[in-house]
Amino acid sequence: MAAEMHAQGAVARRDLAVRAAVEQGLVGGADDAPPLVCLLDTAGIRASAAALTDAFAAALPPGTPVLHAFAVKACPLVPVLRLLADAGIGCEVAGPGELALARAAGVPAARTVLDSPAKTAAELREALALGVAVNADNLQELERLDALVGAGPARSPIGVRINPQTGAGAIGALSTATATSKFGIALRDPGARARLVRACLDRPWLTRLHVHSGSQGVPLPLIAEGVRDLHALAEEINAAAGRRQIDTLDIGGGLPVNFTSDEQDPTYAQYVGALREAVPALFDGGYGLVTEFGRSLLAKHGLVLARVEYTKSTGARPIALTHAGVQLATRTVYAPAQWPLRILPYDAKGAPKDGDPVAQDVAGPACFAGDLLATARELPPLAPGDLIGVPDTGAYFFTAHYGYNSLPRPAVHGFTVTPRAGVRFAEVRPAQSLAEIVAESGGPLRDALL
């Protein structure tokens, strides 16, 4: 019931924001109004952060060290990272760019974790100097860290990532715990476990273990199996060391998101429940915990709003040509079966549009035939000047722009609904200008090859 009420509140805020975006000129059918805008629900983001922290706090003994670190790749926007930091969430970064974004947002080094399968020596050196936690991906990286850490204690907490090889979910390209995954040190290959235990015992400064067994399309029991294997390895290392060398377990993230409705399913409480069933000792307070959720914190709170520019019929199929396509929903366009998105129809004033549904394609602006957000989707007939809303796009969609056809990045605004049902917008990222596109494409160097 609580989840249903939460979804209803999010829908009400969304519809208010759409109408207000039209009224305030952020998007619309008029020639001088932008044809495309992206919105983020700040109340929804805060609610997701609270649901995550509350789920773990309810399951752990008081005082257990826990860091919830947002996976910056899911939404690399500095104001969003700042909002999450204010809600008690740190940052998980996968390279120097994301680390720079986290620092620009004011996230302390002590609340930042660096993960990447290809860290350079310079990146490791910077992280260690700052005190950022580091998870090594492989044995060669551990050898590189040997030289950087030296004989003394490291300023940064340092861990090593394992691949539990527990198997793939429904989307192979996103499954990180397969037998041949590029991530981490394999746990089930012949002799690998013994080599890993030895590598840890030889490095007293190695105090963490890391796993990331979840992702979109991976069921909760399979995610929990990877965490269970992580905990068992930590116990084995500590027993061999004769002390509590491993004191923190980074259990990653990857909670799947429901893209078929407004419901948050599964929830963080369900995730914690699955972990408690699979590895109850994880919650006895013996280990500090780190999580690295991304998509599940942001996806439900993003909305693309795009103007319908033209409509036509081809082969008896109605087609709505809009300004939202592959540049914003790259995964959906290239893998529609794995990344389907809902389409919400609105009229030119931003009101939800009714009418007898008609099967129609919703197409984007890019110059290739596959640029489709939806095919034969049953919607009220769309007309020029109408708007389409594309929900659940707050992570990995419009936050990671794809520059096909040099289509400009649209503006992103966060919105807050006031107690009197007014809507306040705050610019998160300005729309990209044509001059900026030219500059990024070598405009100032136009004679460089002559």
Side-chain angles (χ1 to χ4, degrees):
M1 180 62 69
E4 182 178 348
M5 292 180 63
H6 175 78
Q8 291 173 350
V11 170
R13 291 195 305 271
R14 181 177 67 210
D15 286 347
L16 285 171
V18 171
R19 185 184 291 273
V22 174
E23 292 174 348
Q24 297 182 35
L26 300 185
V27 69
D31 288 343
D32 58 348
L36 178 65
V37 74
C38 304
L39 304 180
L40 288 167
D41 179 0
T42 58
I45 294 171
R46 286 190 179 276
S48 281
L52 170 59
T53 55
D54 289 351
F56 277 84
L60 288 165
T64 302
V66 180
L67 170 62
H68 298 293
F70 173 67
V72 172
K73 56 185 169 289
C75 186
L77 299 172
V78 170
V80 172
L81 305 184
R82 182 68 169 173
L83 173 64
L84 287 169
D86 189 63
I89 309 295
C91 282
E92 181 267 334
V93 301
E98 291 182 3
L99 177 56
L101 295 178
R103 296 185 70 190
V107 179
R111 299 186 62 77
T112 305
V113 180
L114 173 63
D115 295 321
S116 167
K119 306 179 198 71
T120 67
E123 290 168 23
L124 290 171
R125 193 175 297 111
E126 179 187 22
L128 295 176
L130 292 171
V132 168
V134 174
N135 286 320
D137 177 80
N138 53 70
L139 294 175
Q140 290 176 357
E141 187 176 340
L142 285 179
E143 292 173 357
R144 182 172 286 179
L145 284 165
D146 287 337
L148 295 174
V149 172
R155 180 181 175 189
S156 298
I158 301 177
V160 61
R161 179 171 184 168
I162 69 160
N163 172 13
Q165 297 175 294
T166 46
I171 305 176
L174 295 189
S175 298
T176 58
T178 62
T180 57
S181 171
K182 74 175 188 178
F183 293 107
I185 298 175
L187 203 56
R188 301 185 184 187
D189 284 4
R193 190 183 190 100
R195 287 192 296 272
L196 180 57
V197 171
R198 185 72 261 164
C200 292
L201 296 178
D202 289 343
R203 296 169 173 85
W205 42 262
L206 202 56
T207 60
R208 293 185 172 190
L209 294 179
H210 174 218
V211 74
H212 196 296
S213 56
S215 195
Q216 190 69 18
V218 180
L220 291 184
L222 193 58
I223 298 174
E225 185 180 345
V227 177
R228 182 197 64 197
D229 290 353
L230 184 80
H231 182 272
L233 178 63
E235 294 285 278
E236 180 179 345
I237 292 169
N238 287 340
R243 63 186 182 88
R244 204 146 191 85
Q245 175 178 336
I246 304 298
D247 60 24
T248 301
L249 301 180
D250 184 335
I251 61 174
L255 185 69
V257 168
N258 165 34
F259 287 95
T260 63
S261 76
D262 289 303
E263 298 296 329
Q264 302 242 6
D265 179 37
T267 64
Y268 290 116
Q270 290 169 335
Y271 171 82
V272 168
L275 291 182
R276 294 184 76 171
E277 182 177 348
V279 52
L282 185 70
F283 295 92
D284 65 8
Y287 292 96
L289 296 180
V290 177
T291 70
E292 300 174 353
F293 293 102
R295 180 183 293 106
S296 57
L297 278 167
L298 262 292
K300 291 307 236 184
H301 313 304
L303 177 72
V304 172
L305 272 180
R307 185 170 71 212
V308 176
E309 198 66 43
Y310 301 106
T311 57
K312 60 182 177 181
S313 180
T314 300
R317 174 73 58 78
I319 302 172
L321 296 164
T322 80
H323 293 271
V326 70
Q327 84 278 31
L328 306 180
T330 313
R331 292 180 175 185
T332 295
V333 168
Y334 287 124
Q338 295 174 327
W339 297 100
L341 286 171
R342 293 179 289 148
I343 304 294
L344 308 177
Y346 294 90
D347 65 23
K349 294 183 178 180
K353 187 167 187 175
D354 295 323
D356 294 333
V358 175
Q360 53 202 299
D361 292 353
V362 179
C367 288
F368 74 101
D371 188 25
L372 298 168
L373 293 183
T375 302
R377 189 69 56 88
E378 296 281 341
L379 297 167
L382 295 170
D386 286 345
L387 300 171
I388 60 156
V390 190
D392 307 332
T393 48
Y396 295 109
F397 282 91
F398 66 75
T399 63
H401 187 83
Y402 174 44
Y404 197 98
N405 281 153
S406 295
L407 294 166
R409 290 188 294 269
V412 178
H413 296 267
F415 70 86
T416 303
V417 177
T418 69
R420 294 181 178 273
V423 179
R424 292 197 304 265
F425 292 102
E427 189 175 60
V428 172
R429 183 185 69 193
Q432 186 182 29
S433 69
L434 298 182
E436 288 171 326
I437 292 177
V438 172
E440 287 184 3
S441 300
L445 306 171
R446 66 176 186 173
D447 294 331
L449 302 180
L450 297 181

